Amino acid sequence: MKNSIILVFLISLMSCTTTAQKKETHKTYPIQKTNSEWKKELTEMQYYVLRQSGTERAFTSPLNKVYKQGVYLCAACKTPLYASEHKFDSGSGWPSFDRAIEENVRFDVDYKIGYARTELKCATCGGHLGHSFDDGPQKTTGKRHCINGAALEFIPKE
């Protein structure tokens, strides 16, 4: 009896898998480039953020406090990602928006820090933008898209 319990325990222990152990599936994007091509086109910080899923330090982006009318593009492929009217001051130190331009931002799951987070990627080139949280403005969507400024380019309205 004791051996049976131990055997069942060992079998169940060996068959356990968690989502954190699953490998990320590689999705295809309309714009595909090699790492060396991206390195030639992007600054060191843009490459770190967009291609290596890095995070810039809080309060370092010049775009954090920009509230002019315009549109925020992907710094890598120039896809329009966020409209200025959806930007708000979250106090987090990163540009924050309550929604993206439909179809231009892809939602993914990121387990890099040990638990699931909603990762935001450019739907055209797959560049890492930031993460989505549920602590945004309750009067609108309740979402906060916390975006690395290095992943964005701002084009003011003419």
Side-chain angles (χ1 to χ4, degrees):
M1 176 70 171
K2 185 177 178 182
N3 287 342
S4 297
I5 293 173
I6 292 172
L7 182 61
V8 169
F9 174 76
L10 289 175
I11 290 171
S12 65
L13 186 63
M14 287 188 290
S15 67
C16 286
T17 60
T18 66
T19 1
Q21 294 171 333
K22 291 183 182 175
K23 290 185 178 179
E24 184 179 342
T25 57
H26 293 283
K27 297 176 181 166
T28 57
Y29 296 92
I31 293 179
Q32 299 279 317
K33 295 184 183 184
T34 65
N35 286 335
S36 60
E37 288 173 318
W38 284 121
K39 281 183 180 180
K40 287 178 188 173
E41 295 178 22
L42 302 171
T43 68
E44 192 175 315
M45 178 57 78
Q46 288 172 329
Y47 184 82
Y48 170 66
V49 169
L50 287 159
R51 307 317 308 168
Q52 297 180 313
S53 299
T55 302
E56 66 191 3
R57 284 191 356 248
F59 301 101
T60 60
S61 171
L63 295 179
N64 188 35
K65 295 291 184 179
V66 171
Y67 293 102
K68 298 175 191 170
Q69 290 289 322
V71 65
Y72 293 84
L73 311 177
C74 173
C77 69
K78 311 306 181 221
T79 296
L81 302 172
Y82 293 97
S84 60
E85 59 263 23
H86 299 131
K87 189 171 192 238
F88 67 98
D89 185 1
S90 67
S92 68
W94 289 278
S96 298
F97 304 85
D98 69 354
R99 71 195 83 170
I101 294 173
E102 287 230 16
E103 309 289 320
N104 291 0
V105 173
R106 199 178 267 183
F107 295 77
D108 207 348
V109 181
D110 168 6
Y111 294 101
K112 292 177 189 98
I113 62 172
Y115 61 90
R117 294 186 299 170
T118 302
E119 182 179 16
L120 303 168
K121 293 182 176 182
C122 173
T124 304
C125 70
H128 168 80
L129 305 171
H131 292 87
S132 178
F133 301 97
D134 293 326
D135 59 0
Q138 294 305 305
K139 291 182 180 180
T140 60
T141 64
K143 299 291 183 188
R144 173 173 57 101
H145 289 206
C146 187
I147 307 300
N148 289 282
L152 301 173
E153 180 179 314
F154 179 68
I155 305 297
K157 188 176 181 180
E158 294 178 4

